[in-house]
């Protein structure tokens, strides 16, 4: 499906409209992504239309699922090549974005991308969520934490919820396993200060199947002992 048709599909199916200027910035990002990918492994998808369908459109679904406040502080946990965080910023320039990534080579790519694309109020942060979650500059400072293709939900909530302020949200981008993951993670969500969990779903155009957004509201302060030390949330997820 041509890129223009994908943009039309996005507008028709979820009510989002990408301007020509925004599409131009996204295309510049894709060009940089693919050029860098020849040296640094950033994405397994190397065809422009596929990137639009599987990465760009997928990233933007959040704006149909959740009312993200103007000027919100957003952290993308385990951002990798900047998806979804950079795409959210291009679509909503008012957002203040932190891109958290544990691999330094990817952080260097993110810094280059932010500079070349002329994006403002984007912090590229090198570190692990288990450490950043205890840092006074980041702990419970965000209106929204997002994560895509990082970890099972019962691990992911321990990375994300300590970063979210009370009355904020975390959103996990998931595939068909998302519904079952939400059931398994219910206990962990409660322990970490999460409350109501909503599962939003949408069919991606051109036969790519359903996408699920797991939306968790933060209703109380996360206990100070969480997140646990690096590696523990993945090895021993909360129950």
């Amino acid at each position: 499906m041509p890129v223009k048709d994908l943009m039309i599909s996005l507008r028709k199916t979820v009510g989002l409209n990408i301007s020509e200027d925004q599409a131009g910035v996204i295309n510049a990002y894709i060009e940089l992504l693919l050029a860098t990918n020849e040296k640094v492994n950033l994405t397994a998808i190397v065809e422009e239309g596929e990137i639009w369908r599987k990465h760009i459109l997928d990233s933007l679904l959040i704006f149909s699922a959740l009312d993200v406040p103007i000027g919100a502080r957003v952290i993308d946990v385990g951002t990798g090549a900047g998806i979804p965080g950079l795409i959210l910023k291009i679509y909503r320039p008012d957002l203040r974005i932190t891109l958290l990534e544990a691999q330094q080579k990817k952080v260097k790519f993110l810094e280059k991308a932010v500079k070349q694309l002329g994006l403002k109020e984007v912090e590229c942060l090198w570190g692990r969520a288990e450490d950043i979650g205890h840092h006074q500059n980041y702990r419970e400072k965000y209106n929204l934490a997002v994560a895509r293709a990082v970890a099972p939900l019962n691990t992911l909530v321990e990375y994300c919820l300590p970063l979210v302020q009370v009355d904020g949200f975390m959103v996990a981008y998931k595939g068909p396993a998302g519904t079952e993951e939400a059931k398994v993670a219910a206990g962990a969500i409660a322990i970490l200060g999460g409350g109501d969990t909503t599962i939003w779903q949408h069919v991606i155009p051109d036969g790519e199947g359903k996408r699920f957004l797991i939306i968790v509201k933060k209703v109380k302060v996360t206990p100070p002992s969480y997140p646990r030390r690096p590696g523990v949330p993945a090895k021993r997820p909360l129950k």
Side-chain angles (χ1 to χ4, degrees):
M1 184 184 291
V3 170
K4 185 169 288 188
D5 290 344
L6 288 169
M7 293 165 59
I8 293 171
S9 177
L10 185 68
R11 183 172 65 248
K12 287 182 176 179
T13 58
V14 291
L16 299 177
N17 185 38
I18 301 175
S19 70
E20 289 189 10
D21 286 345
Q22 288 169 330
V25 177
I26 291 172
N27 281 326
Y29 163 75
I30 292 173
E31 289 178 7
L32 180 60
L33 172 67
L34 294 178
T36 307
N37 199 58
E38 295 179 0
K39 301 176 182 179
V40 179
N41 183 24
L42 296 171
T43 178
I45 302 171
V46 295
E47 195 276 317
E48 181 183 353
E50 289 289 286
I51 292 173
W52 268 92
R53 182 164 51 252
K54 293 182 177 179
H55 287 332
I56 309 306
L57 272 66
D58 190 46
S59 296
L60 294 175
L61 292 177
I62 191 172
F63 295 118
S64 259
L66 186 68
D67 184 13
V68 181
I70 298 295
R73 290 194 69 187
V74 181
I75 185 165
D76 181 3
V77 176
T79 186
I83 299 170
L86 280 178
I87 308 307
L88 305 187
K89 177 65 178 181
I90 293 168
Y91 187 75
R92 283 278 304 274
D94 61 281
L95 300 178
R96 294 170 290 166
I97 302 283
T98 299
L99 304 173
L100 175 59
E101 174 54 45
Q103 294 187 37
Q104 190 175 27
K105 61 185 179 181
K106 293 182 179 179
V107 174
K108 289 181 178 179
F109 164 75
L110 295 170
E111 291 171 341
K112 182 178 180 180
V114 168
K115 183 177 181 179
Q116 289 197 11
L117 298 176
L119 303 177
K120 307 298 182 184
E121 293 190 303
V122 179
E123 179 181 9
C124 302
L125 181 61
W126 178 32
R128 295 188 61 140
E130 300 99 321
D131 295 323
I132 298 302
H134 288 286
H135 196 292
Q136 63 179 356
N137 290 347
Y138 304 103
R139 185 178 180 87
E140 298 189 322
K141 299 296 186 183
Y142 292 91
N143 304 101
L144 174 65
V146 297
R148 183 176 182 269
V150 174
L153 190 64
N154 56 351
T155 295
L156 193 58
V157 291
E158 191 167 351
Y159 297 157
C160 292
L161 282 176
L163 298 164
V164 178
Q165 65 187 33
V166 174
D167 289 332
F169 294 88
M170 74 159 281
V171 176
Y173 290 72
K174 291 290 181 179
T179 299
E180 185 59 32
E181 286 190 34
K183 294 177 183 177
V184 173
I189 290 169
I191 290 170
L192 295 162
D196 291 341
T197 299
T198 302
I199 301 174
W200 185 91
Q201 60 180 289
H202 176 70
V203 178
I204 297 293
D206 213 20
E208 293 299 332
K210 288 184 178 180
R211 293 295 291 164
F212 294 79
L213 298 183
I214 313 300
I215 305 169
V216 181
K217 185 172 184 178
K218 180 85 171 274
V219 296
K220 59 183 179 181
V221 171
T222 300
S225 55
Y226 299 104
R228 292 167 291 170
R229 67 182 184 275
V232 175
K235 292 179 181 176
R236 300 200 302 272
L238 295 171
K239 298 180 179 179

